[in-house]
Amino acid sequence: MAKNNFRRSLPSVFVVLALAFSLASSPDISQSAHAQEVSLSPTPTTQEVNQAELHQALLDLTNSFTVMCVAAHPDDEDGTTLTVLRRRDGVHTVSLFSTYGEGGQNAVGPELYEELGVIRAQETMKAAQIQGSEPYFLGLKDFGFSKSADEAFKVWGHDEALRRMVQKIRELRPDVIITNHDTTSGHGHHQATGRLIIEAFDAAADPKRFPEQLKQVKRWQAKRLFVRIFGGATGQKPDPGVPGRAARLGWDGQEEPEKVVAIDPNEVDPVRETSFAEQALAALQQHATQGPWPKTIAELLKARRIETGKLPPIRYRLIREASGAPALPENATTPLAGLELPEQFADGVMPPNIAGRALTDFIDRPDRVLGALINWRADHNAADSAGEDPERFRLFESRLDRALATASGITLTLNSRPTVLVPGLNTTFTITLSNSSLSTVHVAELRLNSWGESAQLKTADELLPDTDTIVPVERTTPKNATLTVPKEEHLYDGLFLGKHFSAVAELEIDGAKFSVEVEIARDIAPAVEIKNISPSLLVWTPGRQDQVLAFTAVVRNNLETPFRGALELNSRALGISAIGGGLTLEANETRSVELRSNAAPVVTKRARRGAKVNRGPQAASPLGVAASNYASLIVEDAAAAAISKRTVPVIFSDARVVPRLRVGYVASFDQTLAQSLAALGVESKALTTGEIENADLSSYGTIIIDNRGYEAHPELIAANSRLLEFVKAGGTLLVLYHKSNEWNPDANKKRPQLAPYPIVLGDERVTDENAAIKFLQPRHPLLNVPNRITPADFANWIQERGLYYPKESDPHYTALFAANDPGEAPLNGGLLVAQYGKGNYIYTSMVWYRELRAGVPGAFRMFANMISYRHR
């Protein structure tokens, strides 16, 4: 299977971009620059403490347990339960994701695959901040929707996936593990993750499993493992037509078991004055690429057709427990119910109080809270409290440090200039330590951790009330520092998160010692960086025979000084070159640069013959050059060589369209349609909804609605009658796939039947990208004019064949293809065509946009036939 590799082997033909420049002034790149300057300045005289932050810091002192939520993809986590456990109970919560979600769809932009994975990881981190949890990733590849765990393990490797999960359990040491995923329902990645966590629950405690890990971490036995129950006691099975996790995760229909935890998401956070469900919804909304999400709880209740005005309890079934673990009490409202810490440890971490009342009762008196924390710290010996669980005590100690810093109003910040680091050049880190407390703070030590070194910095010994100290430190980025950009190229090695730097302050206030730490991440990039090139892949067809090539390069100057140079585009294989001279970039400026070839490329007869023999992506190899001649966008600096590379592969397809065809299109989230039409040499125009409503559409032979176009442009629904009139008058309307819940008629959304004859979508998919395609009407004009389509045109597809296939379609439609996953019945609605009036309507559930974007030659041939249909 090739599911684990989105970018198949591409031909060795490249357009070369080269950038040469000179610096207006050369920066100092001395390796010995470590200048430090300390300054003291007054801060506002009123002590301000964020009450929500103080309440959380104090609540965290009351709970030394860790709960881990395991999920297959970003947004699969149970954000509500994570929020309740942290914000209500002070539990240390972590989430663990099998993948970065890079194989999914993008609801807001053009990024897919590794680029999408970077975005989804960043969205997950934003969501986790709201939940109060810490996210971690196993980095297994998301190759798109699958139907079985076995398929996932063929790509992931069962033992490797289990090894990674065991490693994280041993590192994070959860007392309880929860998951939304069972072992048989829904997405194959979910099933595989459900199976892995059951195995890992035991394997993490077994010294014979992955013993090499025990050199860095200890084995660990979690006490309990819970799997979420969907449906059941709520009296309501998940409705497959309602968007959300319940429908995907499935419902096993079993009776409610005895060992169940029920969590009420409707509880209100007394400090933040919102329900935990509202907070969790705000976190879910951070996953914008997987939206749209309900904007309010009321909207969520309406979508789920819940009329009680409250969300039902979140219920978990206990499926594993460690030997000797305390029994789960009846009517438990937390998965930790009944668990106890060792007596010595519990006594050592008993949180302080004021006159027998919890410190959280005094968040409006941070001075009293601080006094209680100081006294408690002075009276407790850390070594005596650690006992046999020093790792758990280190977690408690870090929480106590945070409580002392929050109550005192002491803050530590770390910044850098520039914010993007260039190998060989200097960076100034600025550390600011502020004291807004009413006491003098003794600064025992201030350190900067950078490039594997921990350097103690010179600073004031004491920090008076309402003052701060600012310490600038210069560090040189090593010339051999590994670049962290382009981010999508570093998704699986973790470098897309940037290089991490931290500052640590060891402090003492009224005899109580504690530390404060802050961390930042910075990208390591070339002096002048090629952010992206569009198009990033060039498809050459006969329609491009007389066209010059046009590219847009986005270039950023990461230097603090101006840049002057020239941008060059060339390809020896295609006999083209162009130079965009006089390029000037100011310090830190980002600019788009347009490039055009000086002549139309020349495609040899040898290349054409090669393409006729094999229409797969490798067929373009006769066009080109040896693999060692990869073209690059190059930046050179006489003082410090900095190279930024971008390559544009070239693929040949002999796809032809009818002459003088004019196409209008409504784009959704990316430029795939525009670039594909340009590759075919078709005159095209992006249409707005207003133009569809009011313009004369008769000048277009074909109009295309991009995949999920009615979702991307809801106003298009009201204008749909104009599109049907266009068809009736003789035009061809091509509609690419939509989800069932954004296509099927819905009175609540004022959405009628959008097709001229009824088409009702289901949730069926063909996920095997190599599934055989059966031609139901091989002589149909749509399969023969202007290109004769054969099974070879479906070679080298990526990820899947199609999704959201019609479950009902009117007899007016002719189905041209049938396909199915192994062991399943054929799905016949992947491509439907019907005459309507004088024109023709085409609806397709096949994933042409992925194949066009990937440059699959056969996809361009079929796309050319669809837009050419019934035109002379």
Side-chain angles (χ1 to χ4, degrees):
M1 294 183 65
K3 290 216 181 229
N4 61 339
N5 183 10
F6 290 120
R7 297 187 175 122
R8 297 179 181 278
S9 300
L10 293 171
S12 53
V13 179
F14 294 87
V15 173
V16 183
L17 291 167
L19 180 61
F21 72 90
S22 59
L23 295 177
S25 60
S26 298
D28 178 14
I29 57 171
S30 169
Q31 292 284 345
S32 62
H34 297 284
Q36 300 178 19
E37 177 183 345
V38 179
S39 67
L40 292 174
S41 59
T43 59
T45 57
T46 56
Q47 180 177 352
E48 295 182 2
V49 175
N50 184 301
Q51 291 194 351
E53 290 182 7
L54 180 58
H55 182 272
Q56 188 67 62
L58 299 175
L59 184 65
D60 290 348
L61 296 179
T62 68
N63 200 315
S64 295
F65 289 106
T66 297
V67 172
M68 171 189 284
C69 180
V70 179
H73 314 101
D75 102 334
D76 285 338
E77 75 273 24
D78 180 1
T80 305
T81 295
L82 289 170
T83 302
V84 169
L85 293 175
R86 179 72 194 285
R87 303 305 187 195
R88 183 192 70 184
D89 301 332
V91 178
H92 177 228
T93 52
V94 298
S95 50
L96 180 62
F97 299 90
S98 297
T99 75
Y100 292 107
E102 66 273 25
Q105 302 166 44
N106 188 343
V108 294
E111 298 85 2
L112 290 177
Y113 311 123
E114 287 82 4
E115 287 181 293
L116 179 58
V118 170
I119 294 173
R120 288 197 169 175
Q122 294 167 339
E123 290 175 341
T124 300
M125 294 171 192
K126 293 177 183 177
Q129 286 182 330
I130 297 173
Q131 298 162 355
S133 63
E134 300 169 7
Y136 298 88
F137 298 87
L138 297 183
L140 302 170
K141 290 192 175 182
D142 181 354
F143 53 84
F145 190 89
S146 65
K147 295 181 178 178
S148 71
D150 290 340
E151 183 181 16
F153 287 137
K154 286 180 182 178
V155 174
W156 294 353
H158 171 275
D159 291 351
E160 173 60 17
L162 180 61
R163 182 193 68 79
R164 297 186 190 189
M165 189 170 285
V166 167
Q167 176 82 29
K168 282 301 176 186
I169 290 175
R170 287 171 170 172
E171 289 175 0
L172 300 173
R173 302 166 58 84
D175 299 286
V176 169
I177 301 172
I178 63 175
T179 182
N180 281 342
H181 306 321
D182 62 32
T183 60
T184 60
S185 301
H187 199 316
H189 296 176
H190 296 181
Q191 298 175 41
T193 299
R195 282 169 54 174
L196 285 171
I197 195 57
I198 292 174
E199 293 183 67
F201 181 83
D202 298 321
D206 186 348
K208 297 180 181 179
R209 302 301 302 272
F210 310 107
E212 70 282 358
Q213 296 177 359
L214 302 180
K215 297 177 181 178
Q216 289 82 33
V217 295
K218 297 179 181 178
R219 62 189 181 92
W220 179 253
Q221 178 64 72
K223 300 297 187 293
R224 295 169 179 163
L225 171 60
F226 292 87
V227 174
R228 189 169 175 180
I229 305 168
F230 288 93
T234 64
Q236 194 177 31
K237 293 184 181 180
D239 185 342
V242 176
R245 301 264 87 56
R248 284 202 302 163
L249 292 165
W251 179 73
D252 58 17
Q254 297 182 13
E255 295 294 327
E256 184 175 354
E258 295 180 0
K259 297 182 178 181
V260 168
V261 170
I263 297 169
D264 182 5
N266 304 292
E267 286 188 54
V268 175
D269 184 333
V271 178
R272 296 169 183 84
E273 298 181 341
T274 57
S275 71
F276 297 117
E278 289 175 293
Q279 295 175 31
L281 179 58
L284 186 63
Q285 290 164 349
Q286 302 306 308
H287 296 282
T289 58
Q290 305 190 67
W293 302 106
K295 296 180 176 60
T296 63
I297 294 297
E299 192 175 314
L300 176 63
L301 292 170
K302 183 178 179 181
R304 295 186 180 178
R305 298 200 289 273
I306 298 174
E307 298 178 356
T308 61
K310 289 186 176 182
L311 291 166
I314 297 171
R315 299 161 56 249
Y316 278 94
R317 175 188 295 116
L318 179 65
I319 66 164
R320 285 284 193 281
E321 54 188 339
S323 176
L328 180 72
E330 293 186 11
N331 303 317
T333 60
T334 169
L336 294 166
L339 295 184
E340 295 181 353
L341 297 170
E343 184 176 353
Q344 178 185 2
F345 185 93
D347 290 343
V349 299
M350 184 70 66
N353 60 77
I354 297 176
R357 294 170 59 188
L359 294 187
T360 51
D361 292 342
F362 297 88
I363 57 175
D364 59 341
R365 291 294 307 276
D367 55 331
R368 294 193 65 183
V369 169
L370 179 60
L373 290 171
I374 289 173
N375 292 336
W376 188 92
R377 189 62 179 261
D379 293 340
H380 285 71
N381 188 316
D384 294 341
S385 302
E388 297 180 358
D389 200 348
E391 292 86 358
R392 191 186 302 272
F393 190 76
R394 278 197 289 271
L395 173 63
F396 174 79
E397 283 274 273
S398 68
R399 290 182 151 198
L400 180 59
D401 286 344
R402 185 164 58 249
L404 280 161
T406 304
S408 64
I410 292 173
T411 58
L412 182 67
T413 60
L414 175 63
N415 289 297
S416 73
R417 183 172 179 85
T419 56
V420 176
L421 279 55
V422 176
L425 303 187
N426 283 353
T427 299
T428 300
F429 291 94
T430 302
I431 304 170
T432 303
L433 180 63
S434 301
N435 175 20
S436 62
S437 74
L438 303 177
S439 304
T440 297
V441 175
H442 174 67
V443 183
E445 187 175 302
L446 184 64
R447 302 190 305 275
L448 174 68
N449 299 316
S450 65
W451 304 114
E453 297 180 354
S454 183
Q456 187 169 343
L457 308 178
K458 181 181 179 182
T459 185
D461 293 333
E462 290 188 340
L463 198 57
L464 300 176
D466 298 324
T467 61
D468 59 20
T469 180
I470 302 173
V471 183
V473 186
E474 283 197 0
R475 290 289 183 266
T476 301
T477 301
K479 289 184 178 181
N480 62 350
T482 302
L483 300 182
T484 64
V485 296
K487 289 181 178 294
E488 62 271 18
E489 294 182 7
H490 294 286
L491 180 65
Y492 303 116
D493 62 19
L495 291 178
F496 74 95
L497 296 172
K499 178 70 176 178
H500 290 257
F501 305 88
S502 65
V504 181
E506 302 292 344
L507 308 174
E508 182 178 335
I509 184 168
D510 294 341
K513 297 180 180 180
F514 62 100
S515 64
V516 182
E517 183 173 3
V518 63
E519 184 178 81
I520 60 173
R522 293 291 183 260
D523 283 334
I524 313 300
V528 179
E529 176 188 358
I530 312 308
K531 302 288 289 184
N532 60 65
I533 298 173
S534 179
S536 58
L537 178 147
L538 180 66
V539 177
W540 184 256
T541 72
R544 266 195 156 136
Q545 188 66 38
D546 299 321
Q547 294 182 359
V548 298
L549 299 184
F551 290 86
T552 300
V554 178
V555 186
R556 174 178 167 78
N557 179 14
N558 291 318
L559 301 171
E560 297 291 297
T561 54
F563 154 87
R564 292 193 301 271
L567 192 61
E568 179 177 326
L569 168 70
N570 66 77
S571 172
R572 287 180 294 173
L574 297 180
I576 59 171
S577 63
I579 299 177
L583 176 63
T584 300
L585 295 173
E586 299 300 324
N588 303 127
E589 181 185 2
T590 300
R591 180 181 299 179
S592 294
V593 181
E594 302 295 329
L595 296 172
R596 289 183 175 273
S597 60
N598 60 345
V602 178
V603 181
T604 66
K605 291 182 179 180
R606 181 185 175 191
R608 293 176 187 274
R609 287 196 300 270
K612 290 178 182 178
V613 172
N614 175 11
R615 294 194 181 102
Q618 293 82 359
S621 58
L623 280 170
V625 293
S628 60
N629 290 332
Y630 279 37
S632 305
L633 191 62
I634 301 174
V635 180
E636 293 180 343
D637 173 8
I643 299 176
S644 179
K645 292 185 177 181
R646 288 281 179 169
T647 60
V648 181
V650 179
I651 291 176
F652 181 80
S653 172
D654 59 355
R656 297 178 182 274
V657 296
V658 296
R660 295 178 296 279
L661 177 64
R662 189 164 189 255
V663 175
Y665 63 92
V666 179
S668 55
F669 305 114
D670 65 10
Q671 297 181 336
T672 299
L673 275 184
Q675 293 177 354
S676 300
L677 291 167
L680 292 171
V682 174
E683 180 186 356
S684 64
K685 183 181 187 302
L687 299 176
T688 65
T689 303
E691 288 173 314
I692 289 175
E693 289 178 324
N694 303 306
D696 179 8
L697 302 180
S698 63
S699 63
Y700 301 100
T702 296
I703 293 178
I704 309 171
I705 305 300
D706 205 351
N707 57 287
R708 305 186 65 191
Y710 289 99
E711 176 68 23
H713 309 282
E715 66 278 9
L716 191 60
I717 294 173
N720 192 61
S721 60
R722 284 274 292 157
L723 292 170
L724 298 184
E725 290 173 8
F726 164 78
V727 179
K728 207 168 188 177
T732 296
L733 182 64
L734 170 60
V735 181
L736 305 182
Y737 90 87
H738 283 66
K739 290 185 175 183
S740 54
N741 63 357
E742 60 195 25
W743 169 271
N744 292 340
D746 188 332
N748 292 330
K749 296 182 179 180
K750 298 180 180 180
R751 185 171 60 228
Q753 174 62 242
L754 297 171
Y757 308 112
I759 297 175
V760 179
L761 303 181
D763 294 323
E764 291 77 18
R765 303 170 181 241
V766 179
T767 62
D768 183 353
E769 69 270 40
N770 297 312
I773 301 294
K774 181 180 180 181
F775 287 53
L776 302 176
Q777 301 283 341
R779 296 184 179 180
H780 194 281
L782 189 51
L783 301 181
N784 290 277
V785 181
N787 305 285
R788 182 172 175 269
I789 305 302
T790 72
D793 289 299
F794 294 90
N796 299 299
W797 274 44
I798 63 169
Q799 187 155 324
E800 57 205 344
R801 290 296 195 190
L803 62 173
Y804 304 105
Y805 276 71
K807 61 182 179 181
E808 300 175 20
S809 61
D810 189 274
H812 282 88
Y813 294 102
T814 299
L816 298 185
F817 299 130
N820 59 276
D821 283 324
E824 297 185 359
L827 298 174
N828 297 338
L831 180 61
L832 300 175
V833 58
Q835 183 175 346
Y836 181 66
K838 297 180 181 180
N840 295 275
Y841 185 92
I842 303 173
Y843 183 90
T844 178
S845 294
M846 302 177 77
V847 289
W848 303 108
Y849 85 104
R850 288 191 185 274
E851 314 316 317
L852 294 172
R853 181 182 176 121
V856 175
F860 275 86
R861 288 164 49 80
M862 189 65 226
F863 180 60
N865 280 20
M866 288 189 286
I867 63 175
S868 299
Y869 187 56
R870 295 300 188 185
H871 299 304
R872 293 185 179 181

